[in-house]
Amino acid sequence: SITRMDQLPGTLRRTYDFVSNDMHVDEYLSDIGVGFLERKKMIAMHPRLTVNVDGDTITTKTVTSLETKEVTFTLGQEYEEDPGTGSNVKYVTVFEDGYLITKEVDEPESVVKRNFNASGLIMIMKTKGVTAVRVFKRV
C-alpha cells in the first residue's frame, strides 16, 4: 500500500460531481446506522466532492446545497468522522491497487473503496453483506 503522499496518482487530486446512486445505497446507509430522515436527505443530495493533497494529508470536501463537510486524514493513520449517525467512528484509509480504501476500525467489514479514473470516481461501499455504488464525474 502507498504511505507517501507523493506516490498518489494525479487523478486523485480533482473535483467530482455526483452522477448516480445504485438501488442499494439506502440499505447500506441504514445498515451503518444512519436514520431514516438523514438517509433520505443524503440520497436526495447531489454533492460535489473535492480531493486535495497537502503534504502528508488528504482532505475530502463534500459540498451540497445544505452543508459542507470536510474530512482530513493521513494515509495509514487512524482518524474519526461522523458518517451521518451523529457519532464519530474511527477509520483508517490506505491506497492499494488503484483504490483509496477506508475501513472502519471497530467493524472491519465496513469498507469504502474509491476508484479514481480519467472520467471520474466510482465509490463502492460495503457493510454487513450489502454493497452499494455511487458514481461521480470529473469536473
Side-chain angles (χ1 to χ4, degrees), residues 49-87:
L49 175 67
T50 302
V51 179
N52 288 308
V53 179
D54 182 18
D56 289 341
T57 61
I58 295 176
T59 299
T60 61
K61 181 177 178 181
T62 305
V63 178
T64 68
S65 58
L66 297 178
E67 65 185 357
T68 297
K69 180 179 178 182
E70 282 193 11
V71 178
T72 300
F73 57 89
T74 301
L75 288 179
Q77 292 186 13
E78 200 171 283
Y79 61 96
E80 291 188 3
E81 174 190 3
D82 177 359
T85 62
S87 301

Side-chain angles (χ1 to χ4, degrees), residues 1-9 75-76 93-96:
S1 70
I2 292 175
T3 55
R4 288 188 15 234
M5 295 305 176
D6 61 349
Q7 295 174 315
L8 290 173
L75 288 179
T93 299
V94 297
F95 192 85
E96 291 179 354

